[in-house]
Structures are given as structure tokens and as C-alpha cells.
């Protein structure tokens, strides 16, 4: 019986998800937003999703966001400046402020600029920055036609 349990133990543990990904707002690690997903039981399809806000030394807080399908955790991150952040997973939206580590009770509706997305890619949960598009170049000859 003991050999049977030892053989099955890696199989039981391998299906669990418990990982995280971070976005560093200051690039140095003193101001970060981290999404953590954790599957409580190997037989469960759901994972609890938490946001950990950290702006050291003033703020550090963990907020429970939702319970989502473990393999489908995909959360978009938006910034509206002044340490105001919006996170969106499908139709669920959360707005937080990392100056004082608070979550707004009501969503303001304005998301701000896209920063990136937390998602699983190639089996690894990570943060992927939003693609920044360069402003369009003026049409050729448009500068010469402009009045001086």
C-alpha cells in the first residue's frame, strides 16, 4: 500500500496550480502589482486569484479578486496615472490605488492606458507588456503644405 501511495503522490500534486506573475511599476521592485493564482485541490477546476499590491515602504496589501477557471486566468492591467490601476478579467473589473493600497468600491468606468496582461503562455503564468504603437508619421509633403 505504501508503494502505491508513493507512486501516486506526484500525480496528485502535479495537477495543482500555485504561481504568480508581477508587473513592476517602477522597474526596481519597490512598486509592484502581483497576480497570484492558486488551485486549492487537484480535483478542482477553479483557482482563487489574488492581487498583491506593493509600494514600499508605505503600502503592501493582498486582495482576493475572484475564483476563475485555473487554466483560463487572463487579467488585463490598465493605468490611469497617479497610482490608479484597473484590472479586468472578462466582464469582471476591479479598480485599485497603490498609493494607499485601497480598492475602490465602485468602478469609475474609465480604464486608462493598457499596461499589459497576466496570462498563461507555454505553461507558465507571466506578465506580458502591452504593445506600444508608435504615432503615425505625417504624410509626405504635409509639412511643406502647412502655413509658416
Amino acid at each position: 500500500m505504501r508503494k502505491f501511495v508513493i507512486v501516486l503522490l506526484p500525480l496528485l500534486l502535479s495537477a495543482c496550480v500555485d504561481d504568480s506573475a508581477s508587473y513592476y511599476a517602477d522597474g526596481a521592485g519597490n512598486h509592484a502589482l502581483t497576480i497570484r493564482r492558486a488551485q486549492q485541490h487537484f480535483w478542482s477546476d477553479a483557482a482563487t486569484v489574488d492581487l498583491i499590491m506593493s509600494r514600499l515602504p508605505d503600502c503592501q496589501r493582498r486582495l482576493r479578486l475572484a475564483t476563475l477557471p485555473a487554466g483560463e486566468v487572463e487579467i488585463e492591467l490598465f493605468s490611469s496615472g497617479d497610482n490608479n490601476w484597473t484590472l479586468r478579467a472578462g466582464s469582471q473589473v476591479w479598480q485599485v490605488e497603490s498609493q494607499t493600497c485601497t480598492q475602490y468600491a465602485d468602478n469609475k468606468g474609465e480604464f486608462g492606458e493598457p499596461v499589459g496582461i497576466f496570462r498563461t503562455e507555454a505553461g507558465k503564468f507571466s506578465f506580458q507588456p502591452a504593445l506600444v504603437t508608435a504615432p503615425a508619421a505625417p504624410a509626405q509633403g504635409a509639412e511643406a503644405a502647412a502655413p509658416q
Side-chain angles (χ1 to χ4, degrees), residues 23-32 54 56:
Y23 164 69
Y24 297 100
D26 65 356
N30 292 327
H31 187 186
S54 176
L56 299 175

Side-chain angles (χ1 to χ4, degrees), residues 7-67:
V7 169
L8 285 182
L9 188 60
L11 294 174
L12 296 175
L13 295 176
S14 66
C16 292
V17 171
D18 189 355
D19 53 8
S20 63
S22 297
Y23 164 69
Y24 297 100
D26 65 356
N30 292 327
H31 187 186
L33 299 172
T34 301
I35 297 292
R36 179 180 179 261
R37 66 178 183 157
Q39 187 178 4
Q40 299 300 318
H41 309 287
F42 72 90
W43 61 84
S44 173
D45 291 339
T48 56
V49 179
D50 296 335
L51 168 67
I52 302 159
M53 290 186 286
S54 176
R55 196 183 56 73
L56 299 175
D58 301 323
C59 156
Q60 191 162 12
R61 183 174 178 196
R62 183 169 118 178
L63 301 169
R64 174 73 34 98
L65 295 182
T67 300

